[in-house]
């Protein structure tokens, strides 16, 4: 047993204590749980309501929503603009939202096209994904400072799925028509993944599973995004060097890509290598300036759009595409694609890809929204966020968009530019809309190498998350281990498998922590009714014959063994003690914790120990009741607080003097 001293902590009835016994202290009448409910419970509640099944109460609440006021409350809950728009401060907030929205929209244009390359679809579909999801989240989202759209991690995961579902022919030499057909199939596969991801999130919303965000802990999310950033960097090396290499997918894809790039390095294109070097030389310092002087700059410097315009002009005037075979974006179709339902036949094949994407989408978006909600003192609804991102992915997939979520870089940019509400998303949509309708031809000569550089420079914030590791080591070695295991799994295996490994390992640490909880013996602080662990001070009073134990951990099938061993040690119940008789009811796996409490009570009774339970939470009492075991632990043994249980135990000591144990659950 971890952390236990070398001797029992509970003195027997014949042992002496060096400290003054508090037996003469005056206590109020001890309150059992039953007496407390009689005095302070809701006595006016109808008995039939108490006995009403939970499903019936839920049905009544759903039925009440069908009334006029209920329908209006439901509409207010599901359309957040109806709540915040009437209270919008037009003079104070409109300018900030407009500037921030336009700034983010300018970044969305090159970044959307760049992330489309990660997804293995033509650049224009990145613009669609920077428009429709942003518009939908503005109407349904609760994060006032959240910016949605293309996200590098999701684009990378989607690209791997697309390459697996629609691989490029081994010949590699495709005609124009064959290339268009391949792109159309890949766009359909990416849209199907987005449809499946959105459908899964809507299912989670229907089941009210917003709490699932807690299972993707902060170390898991940060390690996932940091490891994925390394995947993005390596995957863009062929475009930076002008080397046409097939995309590697599956486990160890990062190392396979590095090996292929090193092998093909002698055949790299000097022109595209020069463009990449010049682009990074401009983008990286601009990123640093925006970060270092964010408080002094009225708006961040739009380095991406400046680089896009400069590179397009240079490529056009120098004819780099024809003279040096530099890969360019080409024609961006104007307008919007026709709504098209993704092929439902593909859904079973992409379900395994959609599930991790749905979890990443919700985890990243919910954590970002929570960070800024805490910073600016407002609340978000995690279940409403599920609805917003679910509808955003599902509806936008009808317009050939790939999976999307909140993004780290543009959210930070929106806040730094002075954004205040979701209205900034509408101004961002205006910028992307203008490109789709009128300004698309300006990007015809944009080199794809520049888009690869934008992808790499946008990973800055994710790479710098590794600087938090020394602090994480000092705060929590367990969280450090979770971060490290997740990152190594993401880098060596793949993003989706690394996510699975990280979640499983994180849950294992939670189970291990419950196994390492110490059972504490408590003593009375003299002159008070406060009980503290005996190891904290030698001045705490310990009454002979009275043992007060605290077990601050959930009692379930995984901890019942440790719970039994700890109490046997403290109370002197040897292995040869009489076991409690087998009781009827559900199997051990269903009520293991409750049955352990009942067995403890029986063994204490056989050993002449009077067991009292104090401060039991509602789940313990509910489990005892539902398992039909409450008759084995009588109401006279359940007390409201440890003070009440100790007072009752002291009265018994004065009257009869048996060895008494009070256990605080």
């Amino acid at each position: 047993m971890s952390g236990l001293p070398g001797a029992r902590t509970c003195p027997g009835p014949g042992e002496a204590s060096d400290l003054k016994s508090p037996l003469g202290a005056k206590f109020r009448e001890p309150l059992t749980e039953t007496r407390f409910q009689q005095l302070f419970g809701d006595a006016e509640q109808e008995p039939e309501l108490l006995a009403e099944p939970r499903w019936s109460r839920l049905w009544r609440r759903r039925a009440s929503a069908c009334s006029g006021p209920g329908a209006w409350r439901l509409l207010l809950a599901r359309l957040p603009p109806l709540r915040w728009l009437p209270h919008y401060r037009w003079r104070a907030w409109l300018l900030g939202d407009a500037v921030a929205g336009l700034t983010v929209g300018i970044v969305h244009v090159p970044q959307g096209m760049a992330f489309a390359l990660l997804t293995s679809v033509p650049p224009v579909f990145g613009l669609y994904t920077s428009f429709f999801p942003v518009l939908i989240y503005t109407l349904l989202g609760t994060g006032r400072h959240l910016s949605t759209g293309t996200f590098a991690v999701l684009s990378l995961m989607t690209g791997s799925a697309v390459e697996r579902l629609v691989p490029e022919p081994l010949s590699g030499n495709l005609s124009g028509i064959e290339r268009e057909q391949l792109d159309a199939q890949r766009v359909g596969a990416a849209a199907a993944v987005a449809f499946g991801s959105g459908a899964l999130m809507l299912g989670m919303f229907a089941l009210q599973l917003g709490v699932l965000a807690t299972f993707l802990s902060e170390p898991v999310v940060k390690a996932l995004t940091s490891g994925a950033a390394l995947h993005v960097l390596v995957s863009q090396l062929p475009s930076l060097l002008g080397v046409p290499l097939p995309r590697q997918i599956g486990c160890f894809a990062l190392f396979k890509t590095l090996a292929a790039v090193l092998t093909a390095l002698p055949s790299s294109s000097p022109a595209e290598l020069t463009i990449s070097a010049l682009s990074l030389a401009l983008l990286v310092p601009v990123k640093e300036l925006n970060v270092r002087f964010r408080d002094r700059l009225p708006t961040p410097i739009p380095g991406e759009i400046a680089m896009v315009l400069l590179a397009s002009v240079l490529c056009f005037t120098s004819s780099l595409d024809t003279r040096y075979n530099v890969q360019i974006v080409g024609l961006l179709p104007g307008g919007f694609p026709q709504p098209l339902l993704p092929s439902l036949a593909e859904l079973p094949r992409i379900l395994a890809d959609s599930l991790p994407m749905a979890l990443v989408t919700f985890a990243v978006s919910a954590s970002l929204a929570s960070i800024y909600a805490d910073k600016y003192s407002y609340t978000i609804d995690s279940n409403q966020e599920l609805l917003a991102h679910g509808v955003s992915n599902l509806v936008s997939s009808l317009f050939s968009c790939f999976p999307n979520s909140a993004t780290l870089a543009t959210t930070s940019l929106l806040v730094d530019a002075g954004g205040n509400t979701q209205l900034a998303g509408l101004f961002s949509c205006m910028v992307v809309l203008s490109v789709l309708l009128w300004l698309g031809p300006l990007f015809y000569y944009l080199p794809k190498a520049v888009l690869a550089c934008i992808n790499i420079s946008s990973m800055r914030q994710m790479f710098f998350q590794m600087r938090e590791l020394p602090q994480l080591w000092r705060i929590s070695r367990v969280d450090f281990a979770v971060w490290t295991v997740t990152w190594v799994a993401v880098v060596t295996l793949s993003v989706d498998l690394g996510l699975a490994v990280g979640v499983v390992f994180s849950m294992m640490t939670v189970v291990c922590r419950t196994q390492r909880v110490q059972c504490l013996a408590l003593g009375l602080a003299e002159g008070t009714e406060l009980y503290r662990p005996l190891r904290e001070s030698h001045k705490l009073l310990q009454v002979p014959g009275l043992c007060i134990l605290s077990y601050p951990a959930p009692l379930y099938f995984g901890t019942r063994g440790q719970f039994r061993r700890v109490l046997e040690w403290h109370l002197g119940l040897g292995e040869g003690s009489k076991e409690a008789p087998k009781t009827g009811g559900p199997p051990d796996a269903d009520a293991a914790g409750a049955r352990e409490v009942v067995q403890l009570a029986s063994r204490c009774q056989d050993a002449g120990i009077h067991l009292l339970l104090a401060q039991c939470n509602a789940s313990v009492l509910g489990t005892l009741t539902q398992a039909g075991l409450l008759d084995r632990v009588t109401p006279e043994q359940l007390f409201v607080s440890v003070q009440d249980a100790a007072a009752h135990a002291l009265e018994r000591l004065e009257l009869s003097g048996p060895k008494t144990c009070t256990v605080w659950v």
Side-chain angles (χ1 to χ4, degrees), residues 279-486:
S279 300
L280 289 175
L282 174 65
L283 292 172
V284 173
V286 169
K287 289 280 186 182
E288 287 296 323
L289 289 175
N290 285 335
V291 172
R292 291 178 180 271
F293 301 101
R294 66 173 62 184
D295 296 330
R296 302 181 185 179
L297 294 172
T299 58
I301 302 173
E304 289 89 349
I305 197 67
M307 188 68 248
V308 165
L309 295 177
L310 287 175
S312 300
V313 171
L314 178 64
C315 184
F316 172 72
T317 56
S318 304
S319 301
L320 296 179
D321 56 324
T322 56
R323 295 173 59 185
Y324 300 102
N325 199 27
V326 171
Q327 297 296 312
I328 60 175
V329 169
L331 180 64
L332 293 179
F336 297 105
Q338 292 184 350
L340 179 65
L341 183 67
S343 175
L344 298 181
E346 295 289 338
L347 290 182
R349 298 176 60 195
I350 55 91
L351 187 60
D353 300 296
S354 298
L355 180 58
M357 291 184 201
L359 294 177
V360 170
T361 298
F362 180 53
V364 172
S365 302
S367 61
L368 268 179
S370 298
I371 289 172
Y372 288 101
D374 294 340
K375 183 177 181 179
Y376 292 98
S377 302
Y378 62 92
T379 59
I380 65 165
D381 183 347
S382 58
N383 286 306
Q384 179 66 20
E385 288 296 297
L386 272 175
L387 175 66
H389 291 289
V391 173
S392 176
N393 277 271
L394 191 143
V395 173
S396 62
S397 70
L398 305 180
F399 295 92
S400 304
C401 296
F402 49 84
N404 57 86
S405 73
T407 63
L408 304 174
T410 55
T411 297
S412 177
L413 180 64
L414 185 144
V415 174
D416 293 340
N420 299 290
T421 67
Q422 297 94 317
L423 195 63
L426 294 181
F427 292 97
S428 174
C429 290
M430 291 180 184
V431 176
V432 180
L433 180 64
S434 64
V435 173
L436 288 171
L437 295 182
W438 304 295
L439 304 180
L442 296 178
F443 302 97
Y444 183 93
Y445 289 98
L446 174 62
K448 290 185 177 180
V450 175
L451 296 180
C453 293
I454 292 175
N455 278 332
I456 293 175
S457 64
S458 64
M459 298 296 103
R460 175 193 178 279
Q461 192 173 357
M462 298 184 191
F463 281 127
F464 278 18
Q465 290 179 143
M466 300 187 71
R467 297 187 301 182
E468 301 176 6
L469 284 178
Q471 182 183 11
L472 191 61
W473 172 264
R474 293 190 297 269
I475 295 174
S476 173
R477 305 290 173 86
V478 175
D479 286 346
F480 180 88
V482 171
W483 200 104
T484 305
V485 169
T486 305

Side-chain angles (χ1 to χ4, degrees), residues 20-28 523-532 539-541 543 548 642-643 646-647 650:
K20 180 182 177 182
S21 173
L23 291 177
K26 293 184 179 180
F27 294 92
R28 56 174 169 76
L524 178 66
E526 189 173 6
T528 70
E529 291 187 11
L530 301 177
Y531 289 84
R532 290 292 183 267
K539 297 182 180 181
L540 296 175
L541 302 180
V543 182
I548 305 176
V642 65
Q643 289 84 359
L650 292 174

Side-chain angles (χ1 to χ4, degrees), residues 118-120 154-167 186 189-190 193 247 249-250 349-350 352-354 357 403 496:
L118 275 179
T119 316
S120 299
L154 286 179
S155 297
L156 182 70
M157 296 172 70
T158 307
S160 299
V162 168
E163 293 280 349
R164 190 187 73 254
L165 295 171
V166 188
R186 290 185 166 182
V193 172
R247 184 167 180 168
I249 59 175
R349 298 176 60 195
I350 55 91
D353 300 296
S354 298
M357 291 184 201
D496 48 355

Side-chain angles (χ1 to χ4, degrees), residues 591-616:
R595 298 174 72 87
E596 191 61 43
V597 173
V598 173
Q599 290 185 7
L600 173 65
S602 299
R603 296 184 63 186
C604 286
Q605 184 178 7
D606 294 340
I609 299 173
H610 186 60
L611 175 68
L612 304 177
L613 302 179
Q615 215 161 312
C616 292

Side-chain angles (χ1 to χ4, degrees), residues 570-587:
H570 277 283
L571 303 178
L573 300 174
E575 292 294 334
S577 300
K578 183 181 178 181
E579 291 290 338
K582 295 292 182 179
T583 58

